[in-house]
């Protein structure tokens, strides 16, 4: 797509895993400059009360935070996305 490979690598980001199996990755949160409070707010907007109930949360390259939760009562997995107000660069 780009003629300069260094520039192409810079412009094409990878999704960042923020939470895996109910545990927040503090290193990833620091790297993308998301506070614990912002992450908890995003989780609540998805209808999940606690980070421990999140199976996976990912900051997508377009700035959305995707959340996957496992509902133990009905054994259903819920997928949802929210749009961040301000897109952040994290390089």
């Amino acid at each position: 797509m780009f003629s300069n490979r260094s520039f192409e690598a810079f412009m094409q980001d990878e999704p960042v895993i923020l939470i895996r199996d109910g545990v927040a990755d503090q290193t990833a949160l620091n790297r993308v400059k998301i506070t614990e409070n912002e992450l908890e707010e995003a989780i609540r907007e998805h209808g999940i009360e606690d980070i421990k109930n999140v199976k996976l949360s990912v900051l997508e390259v377009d700035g959305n935070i995707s959340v996957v939760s496992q509902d133990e009562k009905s054994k259903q997995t819920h997928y949802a996305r929210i749009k961040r107000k301000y897109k952040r660069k994290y390089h």
Side-chain angles (χ1 to χ4, degrees):
M1 185 167 150
F2 296 101
S3 60
N4 186 329
R5 292 196 188 270
S6 303
F7 184 71
E8 182 177 7
F10 174 75
M11 292 302 291
Q12 294 179 345
D13 296 330
E14 293 291 323
V16 178
I17 296 176
L18 304 175
I19 301 173
R20 178 173 280 153
D21 296 325
V23 179
D25 184 352
Q26 201 61 43
T27 306
L29 289 173
N30 291 339
R31 184 165 47 103
V32 295
K33 296 181 173 85
I34 294 178
T35 65
E36 192 85 24
N37 290 335
E38 289 175 324
L39 183 60
E40 289 173 356
E41 178 184 349
I43 299 302
R44 285 191 303 273
E45 287 179 359
H46 286 281
I48 303 169
E49 294 179 15
D50 196 332
I51 289 177
K52 294 177 183 176
N53 298 331
V54 175
K55 183 176 182 181
L56 184 69
S57 177
V58 178
L59 176 64
E60 304 290 350
V61 295
D62 63 356
N64 287 328
I65 295 178
S66 299
V67 177
V68 179
S69 70
Q70 187 69 33
D71 185 0
E72 292 297 325
K73 293 180 182 174
S74 62
K75 297 289 184 191
Q76 293 179 350
T77 304
H78 304 282
Y79 295 86
R81 299 179 81 150
I82 63 168
K83 187 74 172 175
R84 293 192 60 173
K85 291 179 183 177
Y86 305 104
K87 198 171 182 181
R88 294 185 181 177
K89 282 302 223 179
Y90 45 88
H91 281 24

